[in-house]
Amino acid sequence: MTAIAEPALSDRTATLADRLRSAVGTERVLTDRTQVRTYECDGLANFKVTPAIVVLAESRQHVVDTVRLCSEAGVPFVARGSGTGLSGGALPSADGVLLVLSRLRRLSPVDADNRQVTVEPGVINLWVTRDAAPHDLAYAPDPSSQLVCSIGGNVAENAGGAHCLKYGFTVNHVLGAEVVLPDDEVVHLGGRAPEHPGYDLLGAFIGSEGTLGVATELTLRLIRVPEAVQTMLVGYHSVEDAAGTVSDIIAAGIVPAAVEMMDALAIQAAEAAVSCGYPEGAVAVLVIELDGPQVEVEAQFRQVEEIARARNAFETRIAADDAERALMWKGRKSAFAAVGRISPSYFVQDGVIPRTKLPEVLAEIDRMADEKGLRVANVFHAGDGNLHPLVLFDDAVEGQAHEAEELAGAILELCVTSGGSITGEHGVGSEKRMKMAKQFTPEDLDTMQLLRCAFDPAGIANPGKVFPTPRLCGERPGVRKGEHPVQAAGLGEVF
Amino acid sequence: MTEITPGSHGQGDAPPPGSPGASPNVGPVRDSVADLPPGSPTGAARATDEAPSAVVGARRPLDIGQDIDLPPGTGAATVGTPTLLGLPQTRQVVQPAFDEHHPPDPALIGDCVHCGFCLPTCPTYVLWGEEMDSPRGRIYLMKEALEGEPLDESMVRHFDQCLGCMACVTACPSGVQYDKLIEATRPQIERRYTRSRAEKLYRDLIYNLFPYPKRLRALRGPLRAYQASRLGSLLTRAGLMRKLPAPLQAMESLAPKLGPVERVPERTPAVGQRRAVVGLLAGCVQGTFFPDVNAATVRVLAAEGCDVIVPRSQGCCGALPGHGGREEQALDFAKRTIETFERAGVDYVVVNAAGCGSNIKEYGHQLRDEPEWAARAEALAERSRDISEFIVELGPVAERHPLPMTVAYQDACHLAHAQGIREEPRKVLRGIPGIELKAIAEAELCCGSAGTYNMLQPEPARELGERKAAAVLATGADLMVTANPGCWMQVATTLARMGKRMPVAHTVQVLDASIRGVPVEDLLERALNGPGTALARTSAAAR
């Protein structure tokens, strides 16, 4: 047994910790190394940074106080909800503050007449729908992690989900936000009315990945639960046929609530995890859900069955009840984590391609994986061309993690060259910021930087995320010419 | 320490904050929101301005050292004098955290992909919303320890605060065996970490008492006298009970009402044609505080065509010390249990306490290092069955008489999560004409009993107990049924404390009543006031 000294905080953070303790209460400020280390990564576990201080906020005032003290001390802060993000958006700043919002979890009563509900950012996505259900209402965005991910995180990343094909992303379902800006000012963006004049600042805030401020309250739009829902599971012997079915359905003028596709490897993983009973021998399966008025759903359902048959579907199963529907979805929604059963490690990727290019892009991904000697499982929102390739690797094998990371990166570039984007719904975060330069020109990025500086001139809100190059807001955006004075003085570096 | 009385939440008879009685959700806390004035710029309720400590993780214990004034610039964990039973604790650090004897397996830790799906089913995360008190966080702590971080008070505390309910094992899509991980961690703590004198004393008391049926039985007499004297009520009324240290209060309050012991014979012949020879594990707490359950189990098994053997020489199966990390004691008990049932020459070992059943099924794993025991342990584990599992497997032959009533079946964690037995007890109950099952909200959430947890961690246990009790009450059922003595005591005493007594019975008692044709009124009366039921401590009228 030996006594060890706590690693000393830097003077700056030690002083900040003391101030935070007096402002929000000692028990809400963590600096114990053992404890803060559990916060060093979010759902993207291969990116780790130990925060100096963790604040467990329980009220808006705690958020305001924390942001104010950080701003005064010039210490960066990162907001975090349930910590399930897949792009490292809640990766802490070293020597910074991690502002945990998971205890801000109150919901106001559902305003059924106006189909709205106001919630705190730590509220879990699924709770909103559970609260709305007695009123025949639901919250539409349904990320696969909806049973644990927080609304605040959904807003930060503009989360999607299986049903976004028909209902849109988080940005389409947030009416208003109360936001603490990086200089501790509390502002209200949007409101309860469906439209607001002036710049769409709420639109800018949603998907800003914590770089513009911290939401402390969100007013969400609720949708009417559709009269009828029909779900079917279709098995194929080829990926082309499955992808072709998706295009044919959309071409026929049908907008399904969801069209999800999984390939053989992903099916294998899901089966191992939740025994969802997907068709045996399937190379690809589609989960197709239609919802709306009973008569419309029935008619479209027959049409979809027809289209699937024409594309050589070898097995079509129709969910007889909610339990069967839940099982079909369970396989799909558990797929990411389930891959942990068939591979020691993996990267979840998130890219978008035009729907019509599915077969060729998938074939190309296969080819690229073979070349590296790696396996790629594919789980994706086929309806809107949002791919989630899962690059499997064994971190015990020397160099394989690096190979896998390269492959994952190459897949994203393939998405961009195919006319798509580097993220559909997981956000850019820490993981993909270097890829932003593949998608945008320096001028584009500088323009975005101007917006960011308008909200966060000191650059303390979730720095090092989204943008490939850390920029200082004092720096005049524009095409960079030569070395920045800070660089020249050896005080900072551009990477 | 505040005493819980009805209405102590300031909402009359309303269920506790965020409880399922208020909403079926896990976790959301929304009281106070409704009472706030509208009219903010967004029209949203200004819940966030309210004193939050009153609603979120209200009774979260302070971190080590947080209850004292810190000199400026001091990390919270660098100083600490938390006390238990009034004795000071000293800070210590163990490095490396784990020794070579079965540390948590890095391969099992590697299975965790950090997705967080376990968070909403973890009772401590539901209460406190903190990473280090979640399964994902605790696995991370194990990983930190393997990487060289020391075993210190803060780490030990977060492991101690795990109930071991295994709801996370059910929730995990990656198949992480958290059960194996925490069960490997606990003996390391017990072996390597020196607990404070007071805490050690208390733990020694628990582990030298409860796993010994003879000692427990010796306690029955004085306890009955204490209960008959109404001394407990007197102490409570005089406010003296509150002066006792929290762990002792917890122990006192859990003791169920004791009745005369219904002795079960060592051998009971099958009724009609013999279909199997089964041994019954009598259990320590089950056997002492709930002897009726064993008697009912014997009657049911006999009625279903089994010769039932209840070996006199049996003792604790090792579950209690095993779940507490007392490995040596647990393995000794396991070996004795194996020998006992081998000698008894039974086809099956039937268990009617969920915690014991899940432990016996792990014998093979527990004794894997000992060549002369490993195979025998595995063999016994394979022959072990929970009573409901066994009845369903065997198929019913005895006639069921109707019991017209509504039943809220409460899943014991060590039955549902640890053994995966959810359907069987429901099937047994549904097989009885007249029974209508009512679903309990948040069924996957532990009631806070968790073996010795409600004695070692009374505060979170109480919060969870209130949550479960409110959820059970909200079903409006005539009877709560559970398959574990721990859950029984926990929920029943919580209900009694809330002034809402409710009949509680074991699954097998209901089946026994049905087979014997006991009128439903008699069953309910006995389940409310008979042995094993909670003592009504508050003056409030029963429901």
Side-chain angles (χ1 to χ4, degrees):
Chain A
M1 202 185 302
T2 50
I4 57 145
E6 287 291 323
L9 298 174
S10 72
D11 286 351
R12 187 176 68 156
T13 40
T15 314
L16 177 60
D18 288 339
R19 288 194 183 150
L20 283 166
R21 285 193 192 101
S22 17
V24 305
T26 304
E27 73 279 15
R28 299 188 185 93
V29 181
L30 309 178
T31 52
D32 172 36
R33 184 175 156 78
T34 308
Q35 296 183 324
V36 297
R37 276 203 64 190
T38 62
Y39 286 96
E40 61 188 18
C41 58
D42 59 11
L44 184 71
N46 50 328
F47 283 62
K48 292 187 180 76
V49 174
T50 311
I53 302 169
V54 173
V55 175
L56 302 165
E58 286 171 25
S59 70
R60 181 182 55 160
Q61 196 53 46
H62 292 158
V63 176
V64 172
D65 288 341
T66 304
V67 169
R68 187 189 69 245
L69 292 169
C70 284
S71 157
E72 283 168 11
V75 170
F77 62 86
V78 178
R80 167 176 159 137
S82 298
T84 57
L86 294 167
S87 61
L91 185 73
S93 275
D95 213 28
V97 171
L98 189 72
L99 180 49
V100 176
L101 304 169
S102 52
R103 290 157 87 170
L104 272 165
R105 51 183 175 181
R106 283 158 282 219
L107 296 94
S108 68
V110 169
D111 178 357
D113 292 342
N114 292 302
R115 295 188 187 172
Q116 296 176 355
V117 64
T118 297
V119 304
E120 291 185 337
V123 163
I124 287 176
N125 177 297
L126 202 57
W127 296 350
V128 181
T129 289
R130 280 198 197 162
D131 262 24
H135 308 280
D136 269 338
L137 297 173
Y139 179 61
D142 60 337
S144 296
S145 56
Q146 70 186 122
L147 66 87
V148 51
C149 62
S150 69
I151 291 293
N154 289 176
V155 168
E157 304 295 329
N158 188 18
H163 291 82
C164 290
L165 171 62
K166 182 169 182 177
Y167 294 102
F169 284 69
T170 300
V171 70
N172 303 107
H173 298 275
V174 178
L175 291 164
E178 178 189 82
V179 177
V180 180
L181 297 181
D183 61 357
D184 88 353
E185 188 187 351
V186 180
V187 298
H188 295 94
L189 308 177
R192 290 171 61 92
E195 288 300 331
H196 286 270
Y199 296 119
D200 183 9
L201 295 178
L202 181 63
F205 180 77
I206 297 168
S208 63
E209 308 197 19
T211 61
L212 303 186
V214 183
T216 45
E217 213 168 67
L218 297 146
T219 301
L220 309 176
R221 187 199 302 277
L222 300 172
I223 59 160
R224 180 75 202 273
V225 173
E227 183 191 4
V229 182
Q230 284 268 35
T231 309
M232 67 166 118
L233 185 71
V234 195
Y236 295 88
H237 289 305
S238 84
V239 170
E240 286 74 18
D241 281 334
T245 303
V246 178
S247 287
D248 291 353
I249 291 172
I250 309 271
I254 299 168
V255 183
V259 185
E260 299 287 303
M261 185 161 157
M262 291 166 73
D263 71 3
L265 211 48
I267 297 168
Q268 187 196 329
E271 273 305 332
V274 296
S275 313
C276 40
Y278 282 2
E280 233 171 277
V283 171
V285 294
L286 290 179
V287 177
I288 305 172
E289 191 158 286
L290 296 167
D291 66 13
Q294 185 79 40
V295 281
E296 181 186 309
V297 169
E298 275 169 20
Q300 290 187 340
F301 206 76
R302 282 191 296 275
Q303 239 181 313
V304 169
E305 275 187 293
E306 203 57 45
I307 291 169
R309 206 171 303 126
R311 285 281 186 173
N312 310 311
F314 74 90
E315 189 168 337
T316 302
R317 287 192 203 155
I318 295 157
D321 51 33
D322 285 347
E324 280 189 37
R325 178 173 8 266
L327 196 59
M328 285 181 185
W329 276 114
K330 197 173 179 191
R332 165 62 188 88
K333 296 210 168 190
S334 307
F336 283 4
V339 166
R341 296 200 185 228
I342 60 166
S343 173
S345 297
Y346 59 91
F347 287 126
V348 177
Q349 261 313 351
D350 169 41
V352 183
I353 54 163
R355 192 173 44 235
T356 48
K357 295 211 171 155
L358 270 177
E360 57 188 278
V361 169
L362 289 179
E364 179 61 14
I365 290 176
D366 259 358
R367 197 195 58 73
M368 287 158 57
D370 282 348
E371 211 175 274
K372 292 257 188 207
L374 293 172
R375 295 183 297 167
V376 175
N378 281 293
V379 179
F380 50 92
H381 310 307
D384 39 20
N386 186 180
L387 304 183
H388 292 310
L390 298 129
V391 182
L392 316 191
F393 66 97
D394 186 348
D395 42 9
V397 177
E398 183 75 26
Q400 216 178 72
H402 179 69
E403 291 281 301
E405 209 177 332
E406 272 187 11
L407 176 59
I411 291 173
L412 283 190
E413 283 168 33
L414 174 67
C415 290
V416 176
T417 52
S418 306
S421 114
I422 59 165
T423 173
E425 54 186 8
H426 295 173
V428 177
S430 308
E431 189 202 13
K432 285 191 276 198
R433 62 198 185 97
M434 301 315 281
K435 295 277 175 281
M436 285 289 270
K438 300 277 177 198
Q439 176 128 32
F440 298 103
T441 64
E443 290 80 4
D444 292 336
L445 293 171
D446 279 340
T447 308
M448 292 184 202
Q449 204 50 262
L450 276 176
L451 177 78
R452 192 213 158 144
C453 291
F455 281 83
D456 179 25
I460 56 166
N462 209 7
K465 311 290 163 64
V466 187
F467 296 102
T469 313
R471 296 286 299 273
L472 301 166
C473 289
E475 189 181 352
R476 188 181 152 76
V479 182
R480 280 177 297 281
K481 297 181 186 81
E483 211 174 23
H484 187 274
V486 172
Q487 273 177 279
L491 296 171
E493 57 181 330
V494 173
F495 52 89
Chain B
M1 171 101 19
T2 50
E3 196 181 357
I4 302 296
T5 50
S8 68
H9 292 285
Q11 296 182 348
D13 280 335
S19 74
S23 151
N25 288 336
V26 178
V29 184
R30 88 273 321 262
D31 55 339
S32 87
V33 175
D35 305 330
L36 293 168
S40 61
T42 57
R46 286 274 160 265
T48 46
D49 290 336
E50 289 300 291
S53 59
V55 285
V56 184
R59 279 166 242 138
R60 175 181 178 270
L62 287 174
D63 276 328
I64 308 294
Q66 284 185 339
D67 53 345
I68 53 162
D69 288 329
L70 292 173
T74 318
T78 53
V79 203
T81 52
T83 59
L84 187 89
L85 302 185
L87 298 174
Q89 274 184 294
T90 44
R91 171 172 169 76
Q92 66 169 309
V93 160
V94 181
Q95 209 165 22
F98 301 139
D99 60 28
E100 291 305 304
H101 181 65
H102 294 307
D105 184 350
L108 296 186
I109 289 176
D111 288 342
C112 174
V113 299
H114 220 252
C115 70
F117 276 42
C118 54
L119 303 184
T121 64
C122 174
T124 52
Y125 186 82
V126 167
L127 289 182
W128 305 323
E130 301 175 342
E131 196 64 24
M132 52 287 176
D133 277 314
S134 75
R136 180 173 74 170
R138 291 189 181 107
I139 291 172
Y140 211 87
L141 291 175
M142 293 171 199
K143 199 169 112 165
E144 286 181 29
L146 286 174
E147 286 168 3
E149 295 284 349
L151 190 65
D152 61 5
E153 283 150 286
S154 113
M155 207 179 265
V156 167
R157 204 174 72 118
H158 296 304
F159 290 135
D160 280 353
Q161 282 173 353
C162 167
L163 293 98
C165 70
M166 310 307 167
C168 51
V169 177
T170 302
C172 179
S174 300
V176 173
Q177 297 174 56
Y178 180 83
D179 48 342
K180 296 252 183 336
L181 289 171
I182 192 74
E183 274 155 25
T185 304
R186 290 198 155 128
Q188 294 275 354
I189 296 175
E190 295 315 305
R191 212 164 37 235
R192 297 172 63 71
Y193 186 81
T194 313
R195 295 186 182 278
S196 71
R197 257 173 50 218
E199 201 181 344
K200 187 170 176 310
L201 209 72
Y202 185 52
R203 282 179 183 254
D204 284 348
L205 171 69
I206 289 177
Y207 293 112
N208 283 307
L209 173 63
F210 287 92
Y212 297 91
K214 271 188 199 140
R215 296 177 198 170
L216 271 184
R217 276 199 294 274
L219 205 76
R220 281 182 56 97
L223 198 58
R224 279 192 80 177
Y226 169 82
Q227 288 179 356
S229 73
R230 299 187 167 273
L231 188 60
S233 303
L234 210 67
L235 288 174
T236 307
R237 266 208 305 278
L240 289 174
M241 193 64 82
R242 273 182 294 168
K243 298 253 188 312
L244 283 176
L248 290 186
Q249 279 187 55
M251 259 180 155
E252 192 277 344
S253 73
L254 284 167
K257 189 167 173 180
L258 298 175
V261 178
E262 207 172 333
R263 298 282 288 192
V264 287
E266 192 158 8
R267 188 173 195 107
T268 307
V271 176
Q273 201 196 341
R274 189 172 82 187
R275 301 159 81 200
V277 180
V278 303
L280 172 67
L281 183 87
C284 326
V285 173
Q286 184 85 286
T288 311
F289 292 136
F290 303 92
D292 287 24
V293 175
N294 282 342
T297 310
V298 170
R299 281 194 295 268
V300 164
L301 286 169
E304 295 289 20
C306 301
D307 275 5
V308 189
I309 297 169
V310 189
R312 285 276 177 263
S313 56
Q314 64 176 303
C316 172
C317 70
L320 212 64
H323 294 152
R326 304 204 158 203
E327 194 178 11
E328 211 177 310
Q329 192 187 13
L331 294 185
D332 282 348
F333 282 140
K335 289 173 195 166
R336 228 177 58 198
T337 307
I338 294 168
E339 277 175 340
T340 302
F341 283 100
E342 279 175 349
R343 266 203 310 271
V346 293
D347 305 328
Y348 297 97
V349 176
V350 168
V351 188
N352 56 21
C356 310
S358 83
N359 185 58
I360 290 186
K361 289 179 179 177
E362 290 294 316
Y363 273 0
H365 178 74
Q366 289 170 4
L367 286 164
R368 65 196 181 283
D369 285 344
E370 304 191 33
E372 71 272 33
W373 287 100
R376 294 164 71 185
E378 195 56 63
L380 190 76
E382 276 169 24
R383 281 187 292 154
S384 300
R385 301 284 187 281
D386 178 71
I387 176 71
S388 62
E389 185 185 17
F390 186 68
I391 295 289
V392 168
E393 205 176 294
L394 201 63
V397 287
E399 191 196 341
R400 268 70 167 156
H401 300 95
L403 287 172
M405 60 178 172
T406 51
V407 169
Y409 174 75
Q410 194 247 328
D411 285 289
C413 293
H414 274 94
L415 201 58
H417 299 306
Q419 300 183 57
I421 297 177
R422 296 179 183 81
E423 228 1 83
E424 292 87 342
R426 291 180 167 85
K427 209 166 165 179
V428 166
L429 293 170
R430 270 194 232 105
I432 298 170
I435 286 191
E436 186 197 333
L437 286 183
K438 297 271 188 188
I440 302 177
E442 296 189 322
E444 76 290 348
L445 199 68
C446 180
C447 67
S449 167
T452 53
Y453 192 87
N454 46 6
M455 292 186 274
L456 293 168
Q457 308 278 344
E459 294 257 333
R462 182 155 74 175
E463 266 192 87
L464 291 167
E466 285 165 15
R467 216 175 154 110
K468 183 61 77 185
V472 170
L473 275 181
T475 62
D478 300 321
L479 175 72
M480 176 183 126
V481 170
T482 186
N484 198 44
C487 313
W488 181 330
M489 290 191 279
Q490 173 76 355
V491 181
T493 47
T494 309
L495 284 167
R497 207 170 52 221
M498 293 161 75
K500 310 259 184 189
R501 294 182 68 233
M502 180 178 180
V504 183
H506 189 290
T507 323
V508 79
Q509 287 179 302
V510 180
L511 182 55
D512 174 51
S514 165
I515 290 174
R516 290 193 295 143
V518 173
V520 69
E521 301 76 28
D522 294 3
L523 171 67
L524 290 176
E525 166 55 27
R526 202 172 163 77
L528 183 65
N529 292 319
T533 55
L535 293 158
R537 184 55 53 78
T538 60
S539 51
R543 67 194 217 105

